[in-house]
Amino acid sequence: PPRDEPPFRGDTTMEDLPTVRTSLDGGDVTPPGTQRSKEPPATPTTPSIGGAVKSSGWRSLKPYPLEEKWDNVLPVGPADRHRQGVLSNGMRYYVHRAQKPKDRAALALAVDVGSVAEEEDERGVAHLVEHLAFRATQNFGNFEIVRFLESIGAEFGPCQNAYTSMDETVYELLVPIDDAGSKNLTKALAVLSEFASRVRISDADVNDERGAVLEEMRMGRDARGRASEAYWKLLMKDSLYAERLPIGLESVIKKGNPAVFRKFYEKWYRPERMAVIAAGDFPDLDAVVNEIENAFGKCAPASGQPKVNPPTPRPPVAFHASPRVTCSVDKEHTKTTITLTFKYPANPISTPGDFFQKTVEEAFKLALDNRLYKLMRKADPPFFSAGCSVEEATRTVSVFSAQIVCEEGKKSVVRGLEAGLRELARARVHGFSEQELKIARAKQIADAQQFFVERDQTYCTSLRDELAGHFLRGELVVGAEEEARMTIACVERMTVEDLRVFAQRCRLDASCVIRAMEGRATVKEADIAAAAAKIQDEENRGAIAKNGAFDVPETLVDAGRLPAPGGVVETTAFSKMGFNVSSLANGVRVATKTTDFLDDQVLVRAFARGGLSEVPEKQYLDALYAGTIAGELGMFGLRPETLFDALAGKRADVAAKTGTYFRRVDGDTSPTDIETGLQLMYMLFTQDVRSMLVPEELEAVLRMQEQAIRNRNRDPASVYNQTIRRLVYGKTFQSAPLRVADVRKMQPMNACEHFNAAFADPSQFTVVLVGAFDEKRVLKMCEKYLGCITAPPPPNVSVSDGAVIGDVWRRDDFENITPAPFTFPKGAVTREIRSYMVEPMSMASITFPVNIKNPDWDVDRKTSVVTVDGSVTLTREKLLCVFATSIIERRLLALLRFKFGEIYTCAASASFAFEDPLARGALFRGDVMINFSCDPAAGKRLARLALEDIKALQLFGPTVEEVATAVEVETRALEVREQENAYWRDYYEAVHNSRLRDLLDGDLDALFSLSEKTRRELMAALTPEMIKEHLQRCLDVRHRVVVVLRPQRPLWRRALLPDPTTAEGLAVLSLYGVAAGAAAYLRLKKKAAQ
């Protein structure tokens, strides 16, 4: 919904390591983690193949001789799909076959140099050189590379094409290689070869790119960025790494001598320091090698450079025995967090022995995560959430971090810190139990099994990134089968003692850094030091007890107590869409589509019409919070921490959501775990969430909600986004921002009842399953777990106004859903938000209403009568709006970044999400929003420039080239989406909910064909004139909402130089006027008295 959604308590995202990567066209990210260090959804370790089409071969894997190969440096593999070598100039190459997506190639040029190689007058040069590569080279003029990428539908934009870290620079391209495959691949490799030795770095180029990089710097200097930078400098104190963040110094970016930029590029961009990587759907690997040799074979060091490659800077990092402690206070912080970080020498992954150490490291993280999760689920927990991460901070240093989010205030911060330190001490002293290790092992095995099962469907971008990691950091790349065998061997060899040994790296005297981060100062460094000393004393005295045992349910559902299955009463095949739709006896409809996109994925969605638009104002807060309360307490009838353990080693993630017009239960499972996913759906529909409501646990949830809202209101960007929503969608109760007082107005018992009632009647729901599964076996499971759900009894829970909660959700007429009362304001509305900022920055947005005349509207009868022709016309107009928005975004990027160099990136999007899906009015409404950030002084001016360009587009239309680019980008994106299960799941829901369904007698194939024909014909015939006419018909720029966020001026300036465009300024001027009038009156009175 357009209203703020309540936050969830859960695993903390590690966001506090420093910005050691800076990407071209995309902000800063944390350093790369260990190979597949994330936790992908798991698959089972049981021998059953569940709903899988076939056995994956997992159980037939041969044992790996771990001890025998312990110290062997393993080659990149598998050999049948890989080529590698060294060109005559010293440049390395890696070519790998990857069949997903079809007809795509992921390319990279990896350069073994980053910002740590910069001299003092070069700080920021490595990153700006990376930017300049896409501006122009010797053989590609100004932004020809960008135009080439767009012309072939390749991705270009934020976070997509390059990054610079302290140790490396990597350029990345993803290009289509189908009919014109050889041409695209040849030209893309030619582009990378230009980056290697022929980037144009003229004085004008450097000067023109400064503004974009400065804006990128501003974007990274929000509260999170500032805290991360300060923390990084403390973490790397006394090392050059502390002073060589890739974004560099503002003085160098603004005024650095272009000759310095050229010198850096010529010195470090040498073929011996580079590797070219190609992973893609290549029929002939050797032919790709030949292409690489032709493109890169003549690359050489710059003229005048020495023949010997200069040594690579690897500054030492000081380890320390005493903890480093800091308190970070920033009024824009949206969370109160404590971060505990421990440094230790990096462990490269080049041998099976190295891989074993990483396996232990990851198991320790999983086991500690589990403990922290259980701790935060207790009544009156010491913190709201906590989580751990393991990352390579530099080439030579790894860090283990635990981040804790707690309530604001000294007492809460100290309590959360002590709880985190105590759990680390408990792991050092007592280690983990066999039960805890078993759960961690199950997750690791599940991870490896998923990777193995989908070994032929790994995305080419993932393989490209792994190969870049191999070249730059020596990471292991041996193929899914070999890695799976190693994982099994390492997990079986691992013991609780191995985890306890690793825990010794997390000691207070082992290069520990502790940081408390608050929005207002409540805790001091002495408080942190005292808490650390207290826990150390407990450990020394032997006062820390072992972790208690916990129960894990054997099964989720007792099959013996299930009601009788509801059989299939009717099945209809829709062959064009590839779906079979079966109706069960209780009214549930099950739509199945088997695919071979990913062998280890089945997406499940239960959807129904009717959402928050049906809820009256007095019940709205309860309904809005229903999903949050149910999720926090246990929507499946089990406490979340118990369910977490019960699902260890399984991939069955299920979650419920209520939107403006819909209810959904989404699941992502493996074929072998699809039964578990369906069991979770059964539990969600049949459990009474009210039984999980424990007042002590609820209190922690409510406090977390209050704290989150307080913190959000301190963040200028959050206030900016809330203002846009409020203005664009009208001042209704659905669009009002959440306030702290709203949390206690919400009635938890009513919220639980809203959740129960919204997900109770099975006959309202259609369940879609898309993926790799055996249709007959899975349909039997659906009969067993979904077909047995019975309709709910009549509602009997009332609220204070006399309305019955169940009546909101237990209707028979959700075909006539209630439109949300969102209205776009009339005329031009301009709002300037002045906010106190630590670092000055500005954001600007322009939103226009889209009003499409409803072709099915009967003017005389004031009603809409659905027709096929009318629906086709409406669909065409919506598609035209999407294409027009795509063109607007590219034009504004070319104008405001490439021409004027005043922004880093911008976004334009079209939305029809909150209009009546049934299109029952005279107009079908939507909106187009443009958003960008910029220099504080430029927001209004750039917003005017953007508005003028959109008016010009509306008056004169786009160019033929702009239209062709928009069509090509959409065509290429569609080719990829059509190979994804989520695309077909969403498509089925859209077709099922179409207002044409009844008109076509439920023939979804006919509806699908009509939809595809409409889109294909429009894309084939799209012209500049069509875009221009659409914008003139549907986009009235006279009505718009312009919101600009700017820093608040100092009080003295606001008093002496009031701004008449603000309410405050008008008030000050009015006071001046009153004062002047009073003074004049007194003078006249005095003169009269004389």
Side-chain angles (χ1 to χ4, degrees):
R3 189 164 192 180
D4 296 342
E5 293 189 16
F8 278 92
R9 178 174 54 167
D11 292 341
T12 300
T13 299
M14 296 306 301
E15 58 185 32
D16 289 306
L17 281 181
T19 56
V20 303
R21 279 193 176 188
T22 302
S23 56
L24 171 76
D25 297 323
D28 300 326
V29 299
T30 55
T34 56
Q35 189 177 29
R36 280 178 298 283
S37 61
K38 295 182 180 179
E39 297 178 42
T43 52
T45 57
T46 56
S48 169
I49 64 170
V53 179
K54 59 184 179 182
S55 173
S56 64
W58 172 259
R59 298 180 64 206
S60 303
L61 287 173
K62 296 178 181 178
Y64 189 81
L66 184 61
E67 306 299 333
E68 178 184 330
K69 294 190 175 184
W70 187 265
D71 292 321
N72 292 5
V73 176
L74 301 178
V76 176
D80 62 338
R81 60 181 65 186
H82 179 78
R83 300 286 186 275
Q84 70 179 72
V86 182
L87 302 179
S88 59
N89 56 12
M91 183 181 291
R92 297 183 180 275
Y93 65 84
Y94 302 88
V95 179
H96 206 97
R97 180 179 293 114
Q99 297 170 334
K100 195 169 183 67
K102 188 176 183 293
D103 297 328
R104 292 294 185 277
L107 311 175
L109 176 71
V111 188
D112 190 20
V113 68
S115 59
V116 80
E118 296 168 345
E119 301 294 339
E120 187 64 24
D121 64 342
E122 296 176 327
R123 293 175 64 179
V125 169
H127 174 228
L128 206 145
V129 164
E130 170 219 305
H131 272 246
L132 292 172
F134 287 91
R135 177 173 281 274
T137 67
Q138 289 182 14
N139 294 311
F140 289 91
N142 285 355
F143 302 111
E144 280 187 23
I145 292 172
V146 175
R147 288 193 288 272
F148 158 65
L149 293 174
E150 291 179 339
S151 72
I152 63 172
E155 296 177 342
F156 178 80
C159 302
Q160 292 177 339
N161 297 102
Y163 72 83
T164 300
S165 79
M166 294 184 190
D167 291 309
E168 64 209 42
T169 304
V170 179
Y171 301 88
E172 301 170 338
L173 301 176
L174 178 63
V175 298
I177 51 169
D178 47 4
D179 295 340
S182 60
K183 284 186 179 181
N184 288 344
L185 180 61
T186 300
K187 192 166 184 179
L189 289 172
V191 167
L192 291 181
S193 73
E194 293 282 303
F195 294 168
S197 59
R198 292 182 288 274
V199 173
R200 195 182 76 190
I201 310 178
S202 69
D203 290 9
D205 290 325
V206 173
N207 292 332
D208 288 343
E209 194 64 22
R210 295 185 198 271
V213 179
L214 285 169
E215 182 52 38
E216 181 180 358
M217 172 180 275
R218 267 190 294 270
M219 290 173 63
R221 294 288 299 167
D222 58 6
R224 173 179 166 180
R226 292 189 295 271
S228 297
E229 181 176 334
Y231 193 47
W232 175 256
K233 290 183 176 180
L234 183 64
L235 198 67
M236 295 291 151
K237 184 181 177 182
D238 299 327
S239 171
L240 189 61
Y241 277 113
E243 305 301 328
R244 290 297 184 266
L245 290 171
I247 197 63
L249 296 178
E250 185 174 350
S251 59
V252 174
I253 299 171
K254 278 186 173 180
K255 300 178 181 178
N257 188 337
V260 173
F261 292 74
R262 290 189 286 270
K263 176 185 173 184
F264 181 91
Y265 178 73
E266 291 168 359
K267 177 180 179 180
W268 294 108
Y269 275 59
R270 306 171 55 102
E272 310 99 302
R273 309 187 70 84
M274 298 177 182
V276 59
I277 298 150
D281 191 12
F282 304 130
D284 187 342
L285 297 178
D286 295 322
V288 179
V289 171
N290 290 334
E291 292 262 19
I292 290 173
E293 290 174 341
N294 292 334
F296 294 89
K298 295 181 181 179
C299 290
S303 175
Q305 292 300 310
K307 291 184 177 180
V308 179
N309 188 15
T312 303
R314 295 283 183 260
V317 176
F319 295 96
H320 44 94
S322 298
R324 294 175 182 171
V325 176
T326 185
C327 295
S328 168
V329 180
D330 192 314
K331 63 186 179 184
E332 295 175 19
H333 280 325
T334 57
K335 294 178 182 178
T336 299
T337 61
I338 305 150
T339 309
L340 309 169
T341 302
F342 304 88
K343 296 181 294 188
Y344 50 91
N347 179 39
I349 317 174
S350 56
T351 69
D354 298 334
F355 192 82
F356 175 78
Q357 295 303 323
K358 286 295 181 183
T359 303
V360 171
E361 188 177 64
E362 180 67 10
F364 177 84
K365 174 202 169 298
L366 292 171
L368 186 60
D369 265 338
N370 200 358
R371 279 196 184 175
L372 295 173
Y373 186 65
K374 285 180 170 57
L375 194 57
M376 82 183 197
R377 303 303 315 185
K378 290 184 176 181
D380 191 24
F383 43 73
F384 288 147
S385 61
C388 305
S389 74
V390 183
E391 298 183 274
E392 287 184 6
T394 72
R395 294 281 181 88
T396 58
V397 175
S398 291
V399 292
F400 183 93
S401 297
Q403 183 172 288
I404 298 164
V405 178
C406 55
E407 195 167 4
E408 191 175 66
K410 175 180 174 180
K411 183 179 178 182
S412 297
V413 172
V414 170
R415 186 177 176 222
L417 172 61
E418 289 178 353
L421 289 172
R422 190 174 289 113
E423 288 309 312
L424 285 166
R426 201 185 318 277
R428 291 193 299 270
V429 175
H430 301 292
F432 293 93
S433 67
E434 290 290 347
Q435 185 183 32
E436 290 172 306
L437 179 58
K438 179 181 178 182
I439 291 172
R441 281 173 170 160
K443 291 178 179 294
Q444 290 177 297
I445 289 292
D447 183 352
Q449 186 174 357
Q450 182 190 10
F451 185 51
F452 171 76
V453 172
E454 294 177 351
R455 58 194 178 277
D456 295 327
Q457 297 152 335
T458 303
Y459 275 79
C460 58
T461 49
S462 297
L463 283 168
R464 175 195 64 195
D465 296 345
E466 286 191 10
L467 290 166
H470 172 76
F471 166 68
L472 295 165
R473 295 177 292 278
E475 292 179 2
L476 204 67
V477 182
V478 294
E481 181 172 343
E482 194 79 350
E483 187 167 328
R485 294 171 62 211
M486 277 198 298
T487 299
I488 295 170
C490 289
V491 167
E492 290 176 348
R493 186 184 194 274
M494 183 170 55
T495 66
V496 291
E497 180 60 21
D498 292 316
L499 270 63
R500 197 186 69 79
V501 169
F502 179 84
Q504 306 312 307
R505 290 183 167 179
C506 301
R507 303 189 315 271
L508 289 172
D509 62 353
S511 298
C512 173
V513 181
I514 306 174
R515 188 270 305 273
M517 187 172 72
E518 302 180 280
R520 62 184 183 89
T522 67
V523 68
K524 299 178 180 178
E525 291 181 10
D527 300 319
I528 295 177
K534 175 183 175 181
I535 302 305
Q536 186 63 61
D537 180 64
E538 289 181 12
E539 183 176 354
N540 295 341
R541 292 187 291 106
I544 295 178
K546 280 187 175 183
N547 195 51
F550 49 90
D551 295 326
V552 180
E554 294 284 334
T555 59
L556 295 178
V557 175
D558 184 349
R561 302 181 64 178
L562 282 173
V568 173
V569 296
E570 181 184 16
T571 298
T572 306
F574 297 103
S575 57
K576 292 181 180 179
M577 284 193 74
F579 278 93
N580 292 320
V581 181
S582 301
S583 298
L584 305 185
N586 62 350
V588 175
R589 293 158 299 281
V590 179
T592 55
K593 178 181 177 70
T594 58
T595 70
D596 58 1
F597 304 144
L598 289 172
D599 285 345
D600 202 48
Q601 184 186 67
V602 180
L603 297 183
V604 187
R605 170 174 289 171
F607 65 86
R609 276 185 169 168
L612 292 171
S613 71
E614 310 296 333
V615 180
E617 183 173 0
K618 289 185 178 180
Q619 298 184 34
Y620 193 78
L621 275 176
D622 299 338
L624 184 68
Y625 269 99
T628 299
I629 298 300
E632 294 286 350
L633 301 180
M635 65 175 65
F636 303 101
L638 290 175
R639 292 169 58 89
E641 65 272 27
T642 302
L643 184 65
F644 183 83
D645 291 335
L647 294 178
K650 296 180 181 291
R651 183 153 79 85
D653 300 324
V654 175
K657 179 180 176 64
T658 302
T660 303
Y661 297 119
F662 64 83
R663 288 157 286 156
R664 290 190 188 126
V665 182
D666 276 330
D668 186 343
T669 82
S670 70
T672 43
D673 277 328
I674 192 169
E675 185 167 12
T676 301
L678 294 173
Q679 288 174 346
L680 289 172
M681 283 195 167
Y682 167 80
M683 295 163 71
L684 186 145
F685 273 87
T686 58
Q687 296 298 321
D688 186 349
V689 178
R690 293 174 299 179
S691 66
M692 305 300 295
L693 205 158
V694 179
E696 295 81 6
E697 295 179 7
L698 178 66
E699 179 60 27
V701 176
L702 299 182
R703 292 204 315 269
M704 181 195 71
Q705 301 295 320
E706 291 172 328
Q707 188 68 62
I709 295 169
R710 284 192 200 97
N711 292 345
R712 192 160 49 199
N713 290 338
R714 289 199 296 249
D715 176 35
S718 296
V719 173
Y720 167 76
N721 289 324
Q722 287 176 357
T723 303
I724 294 172
R725 282 196 297 268
R726 188 70 161 151
L727 291 174
V728 168
Y729 294 113
K731 296 181 179 180
T732 68
F733 65 89
Q734 289 103 328
S735 61
L738 284 171
R739 299 169 300 170
V740 174
D742 291 335
V743 176
R744 300 290 172 171
K745 289 180 182 178
M746 181 268 302
Q747 299 296 315
M749 190 61 76
N750 288 345
C752 290
E753 179 56 29
H754 268 288
F755 188 85
N756 286 342
F759 299 97
D761 188 348
S763 65
Q764 294 179 352
F765 285 82
T766 298
V767 180
V768 186
L769 299 99
V770 182
F773 58 90
D774 183 286
E775 195 167 9
K776 289 184 179 179
R777 288 207 302 271
V778 168
L779 196 55
K780 286 293 183 184
M781 295 177 192
C782 291
E783 291 177 336
K784 181 177 181 179
Y785 296 108
L786 303 180
C788 72
I789 302 172
T790 56
N796 58 9
V797 178
S798 299
V799 291
S800 57
D801 64 351
V804 179
I805 289 176
D807 286 345
V808 174
W809 305 107
R810 298 173 190 174
R811 291 172 35 188
D812 295 327
D813 60 342
F814 274 134
E815 294 299 315
N816 296 309
I817 57 179
T818 304
F822 302 137
T823 55
F824 200 94
K826 299 292 184 181
V829 177
T830 300
R831 179 70 53 86
E832 182 178 277
I833 305 169
R834 290 280 190 171
S835 180
Y836 290 101
M837 299 179 186
V838 178
E839 295 273 350
M841 54 84 70
S842 181
M843 301 174 74
S845 74
I846 314 173
T847 308
F848 304 98
V850 175
N851 291 304
I852 301 172
K853 289 185 179 180
N854 186 351
D856 289 332
W857 180 252
D858 189 320
V859 178
D860 297 328
R861 298 169 58 189
K862 304 296 183 184
T863 188
S864 175
V865 180
V866 180
T867 67
V868 172
D869 290 343
S871 292
V872 168
T873 300
L874 188 58
T875 300
R876 283 175 58 86
E877 292 286 9
K878 289 163 66 178
L879 288 171
L880 282 168
C881 187
V882 171
F883 279 110
T885 305
S886 172
I887 292 169
I888 288 171
E889 180 175 290
R890 288 182 180 82
R891 282 172 64 105
L892 292 181
L893 191 63
L895 175 71
L896 301 181
R897 176 177 176 175
F898 298 153
K899 182 176 181 180
F900 294 118
E902 294 203 62
I903 68 169
Y904 177 55
T905 188
C906 69
S909 59
S911 173
F912 300 93
F914 304 117
E915 176 55 299
D916 177 6
L918 302 181
R920 289 170 289 189
L923 296 173
F924 190 84
R925 302 170 303 163
D927 59 76
V928 168
M929 179 182 290
I930 294 98
N931 230 319
F932 56 86
S933 64
C934 58
D935 182 274
K940 286 187 175 181
R941 178 172 55 82
L942 295 184
R944 286 195 299 271
L945 282 174
L947 179 60
E948 289 170 6
D949 189 70
I950 292 168
K951 288 180 177 178
L953 180 66
Q954 192 177 47
L955 183 62
F956 303 109
T959 66
V960 172
E961 183 184 14
E962 287 171 332
V963 171
T965 295
V967 171
E968 185 67 15
V969 168
E970 173 60 20
T971 300
R972 296 304 187 178
L974 186 61
E975 289 172 354
V976 175
R977 293 201 302 270
E978 287 177 334
Q979 300 174 50
E980 296 173 349
N981 291 321
Y983 173 82
W984 292 101
R985 176 200 62 191
D986 296 345
Y987 206 146
Y988 182 86
E989 182 181 10
V991 169
H992 177 90
N993 287 335
S994 170
R995 64 197 193 116
L996 278 181
R997 190 184 66 185
D998 291 339
L999 192 65
L1000 297 177
D1001 297 323
D1003 188 346
L1004 301 189
D1005 269 347
L1007 191 49
F1008 170 72
S1009 298
L1010 183 64
S1011 173
E1012 289 296 292
K1013 180 184 177 187
T1014 302
R1015 176 169 55 188
R1016 304 289 180 184
E1017 287 181 350
L1018 176 70
M1019 292 172 65
L1022 191 62
T1023 64
E1025 190 68 21
M1026 292 167 66
I1027 295 291
K1028 182 181 76 172
E1029 291 175 355
H1030 167 79
L1031 290 174
Q1032 291 175 350
R1033 277 195 308 271
C1034 303
L1035 195 74
D1036 189 345
V1037 296
R1038 296 173 300 173
H1039 304 291
R1040 60 184 181 270
V1041 172
V1042 180
V1043 180
V1044 179
L1045 172 67
R1046 298 179 67 188
Q1048 181 60 281
R1049 299 189 303 162
L1051 181 60
W1052 67 267
R1053 293 197 65 182
R1054 287 149 51 203
L1056 296 178
L1057 300 169
D1059 183 353
T1061 65
T1062 66
E1064 180 191 69
L1066 288 174
V1068 173
L1069 288 172
S1070 298
L1071 287 174
Y1072 282 168
V1074 170
Y1081 170 75
L1082 291 174
R1083 285 195 301 270
L1084 289 172
K1085 185 175 181 182
K1086 184 177 180 180
K1087 186 175 181 181
Q1090 293 174 348

mmCIF file of all heavy atoms in Angstrom, residues 969-981:
data_model
loop_
_atom_site.group_PDB
_atom_site.id
_atom_site.type_symbol
_atom_site.label_atom_id
_atom_site.label_comp_id
_atom_site.label_asym_id
_atom_site.label_seq_id
_atom_site.Cartn_x
_atom_site.Cartn_y
_atom_site.Cartn_z
ATOM 1 N N VAL A 969 15.489 -2.735 -25.764
ATOM 2 C CA VAL A 969 15.725 -3.022 -24.344
ATOM 3 C C VAL A 969 14.591 -3.887 -23.788
ATOM 4 O O VAL A 969 14.829 -4.862 -23.064
ATOM 5 C CB VAL A 969 15.865 -1.717 -23.537
ATOM 6 C CG1 VAL A 969 15.822 -1.999 -22.039
ATOM 7 C CG2 VAL A 969 17.168 -1.013 -23.891
ATOM 8 N N GLU A 970 13.347 -3.550 -24.118
ATOM 9 C CA GLU A 970 12.218 -4.334 -23.633
ATOM 10 C C GLU A 970 12.219 -5.735 -24.244
ATOM 11 O O GLU A 970 11.925 -6.720 -23.562
ATOM 12 C CB GLU A 970 10.904 -3.617 -23.963
ATOM 13 C CG GLU A 970 9.647 -4.413 -23.650
ATOM 14 C CD GLU A 970 9.517 -4.796 -22.187
ATOM 15 O OE1 GLU A 970 10.159 -4.164 -21.322
ATOM 16 O OE2 GLU A 970 8.768 -5.763 -21.902
ATOM 17 N N THR A 971 12.572 -5.841 -25.514
ATOM 18 C CA THR A 971 12.624 -7.149 -26.175
ATOM 19 C C THR A 971 13.636 -8.059 -25.488
ATOM 20 O O THR A 971 13.351 -9.231 -25.199
ATOM 21 C CB THR A 971 12.994 -6.988 -27.656
ATOM 22 O OG1 THR A 971 12.001 -6.178 -28.306
ATOM 23 C CG2 THR A 971 13.081 -8.341 -28.351
ATOM 24 N N ARG A 972 14.822 -7.529 -25.219
ATOM 25 C CA ARG A 972 15.870 -8.330 -24.589
ATOM 26 C C ARG A 972 15.504 -8.684 -23.156
ATOM 27 O O ARG A 972 15.758 -9.812 -22.695
ATOM 28 C CB ARG A 972 17.193 -7.571 -24.615
ATOM 29 C CG ARG A 972 17.727 -7.321 -26.017
ATOM 30 C CD ARG A 972 17.873 -8.601 -26.803
ATOM 31 N NE ARG A 972 18.537 -8.398 -28.089
ATOM 32 C CZ ARG A 972 18.821 -9.370 -28.933
ATOM 33 N NH1 ARG A 972 18.487 -10.619 -28.654
ATOM 34 N NH2 ARG A 972 19.434 -9.118 -30.079
ATOM 35 N N ALA A 973 14.908 -7.726 -22.451
ATOM 36 C CA ALA A 973 14.498 -8.018 -21.080
ATOM 37 C C ALA A 973 13.407 -9.088 -21.055
ATOM 38 O O ALA A 973 13.396 -9.970 -20.189
ATOM 39 C CB ALA A 973 14.004 -6.747 -20.401
ATOM 40 N N LEU A 974 12.511 -9.028 -22.020
ATOM 41 C CA LEU A 974 11.432 -10.011 -22.097
ATOM 42 C C LEU A 974 11.977 -11.399 -22.389
ATOM 43 O O LEU A 974 11.493 -12.399 -21.847
ATOM 44 C CB LEU A 974 10.427 -9.581 -23.173
ATOM 45 C CG LEU A 974 9.155 -10.421 -23.307
ATOM 46 C CD1 LEU A 974 8.361 -10.392 -22.016
ATOM 47 C CD2 LEU A 974 8.300 -9.891 -24.464
ATOM 48 N N GLU A 975 12.992 -11.488 -23.245
ATOM 49 C CA GLU A 975 13.610 -12.781 -23.539
ATOM 50 C C GLU A 975 14.137 -13.454 -22.272
ATOM 51 O O GLU A 975 14.030 -14.670 -22.112
ATOM 52 C CB GLU A 975 14.752 -12.596 -24.540
ATOM 53 C CG GLU A 975 14.313 -12.253 -25.942
ATOM 54 C CD GLU A 975 15.486 -11.888 -26.842
ATOM 55 O OE1 GLU A 975 16.623 -11.796 -26.347
ATOM 56 O OE2 GLU A 975 15.252 -11.699 -28.052
ATOM 57 N N VAL A 976 14.702 -12.656 -21.387
ATOM 58 C CA VAL A 976 15.226 -13.207 -20.131
ATOM 59 C C VAL A 976 14.092 -13.542 -19.176
ATOM 60 O O VAL A 976 14.082 -14.611 -18.552
ATOM 61 C CB VAL A 976 16.207 -12.209 -19.486
ATOM 62 C CG1 VAL A 976 16.656 -12.707 -18.115
ATOM 63 C CG2 VAL A 976 17.421 -11.998 -20.390
ATOM 64 N N ARG A 977 13.111 -12.648 -19.053
ATOM 65 C CA ARG A 977 12.013 -12.875 -18.105
ATOM 66 C C ARG A 977 11.226 -14.128 -18.464
ATOM 67 O O ARG A 977 10.739 -14.843 -17.576
ATOM 68 C CB ARG A 977 11.080 -11.664 -18.063
ATOM 69 C CG ARG A 977 11.710 -10.419 -17.472
ATOM 70 C CD ARG A 977 10.640 -9.438 -16.989
ATOM 71 N NE ARG A 977 9.725 -9.042 -18.043
ATOM 72 C CZ ARG A 977 9.898 -8.004 -18.850
ATOM 73 N NH1 ARG A 977 10.988 -7.257 -18.732
ATOM 74 N NH2 ARG A 977 9.003 -7.693 -19.777
ATOM 75 N N GLU A 978 11.088 -14.390 -19.761
ATOM 76 C CA GLU A 978 10.315 -15.560 -20.176
ATOM 77 C C GLU A 978 10.983 -16.869 -19.776
ATOM 78 O O GLU A 978 10.357 -17.930 -19.840
ATOM 79 C CB GLU A 978 10.092 -15.524 -21.693
ATOM 80 C CG GLU A 978 9.085 -14.480 -22.126
ATOM 81 C CD GLU A 978 8.924 -14.417 -23.630
ATOM 82 O OE1 GLU A 978 9.875 -14.792 -24.347
ATOM 83 O OE2 GLU A 978 7.855 -14.000 -24.096
ATOM 84 N N GLN A 979 12.238 -16.801 -19.351
ATOM 85 C CA GLN A 979 12.949 -17.998 -18.885
ATOM 86 C C GLN A 979 12.954 -18.099 -17.356
ATOM 87 O O GLN A 979 13.746 -18.824 -16.783
ATOM 88 C CB GLN A 979 14.389 -17.973 -19.392
ATOM 89 C CG GLN A 979 14.526 -17.943 -20.901
ATOM 90 C CD GLN A 979 15.977 -17.778 -21.340
ATOM 91 O OE1 GLN A 979 16.866 -18.488 -20.894
ATOM 92 N NE2 GLN A 979 16.216 -16.818 -22.214
ATOM 93 N N GLU A 980 12.061 -17.347 -16.706
ATOM 94 C CA GLU A 980 12.017 -17.334 -15.254
ATOM 95 C C GLU A 980 10.644 -17.773 -14.767
ATOM 96 O O GLU A 980 9.610 -17.372 -15.308
ATOM 97 C CB GLU A 980 12.339 -15.926 -14.736
ATOM 98 C CG GLU A 980 13.752 -15.483 -15.071
ATOM 99 C CD GLU A 980 14.015 -14.032 -14.723
ATOM 100 O OE1 GLU A 980 13.044 -13.302 -14.417
ATOM 101 O OE2 GLU A 980 15.195 -13.630 -14.769
ATOM 102 N N ASN A 981 10.642 -18.582 -13.707
ATOM 103 C CA ASN A 981 9.382 -19.088 -13.156
ATOM 104 C C ASN A 981 8.495 -17.962 -12.645
ATOM 105 O O ASN A 981 7.270 -18.024 -12.766
ATOM 106 C CB ASN A 981 9.674 -20.077 -12.025
ATOM 107 C CG ASN A 981 10.304 -21.365 -12.534
ATOM 108 O OD1 ASN A 981 9.923 -21.869 -13.589
ATOM 109 N ND2 ASN A 981 11.261 -21.895 -11.796
#
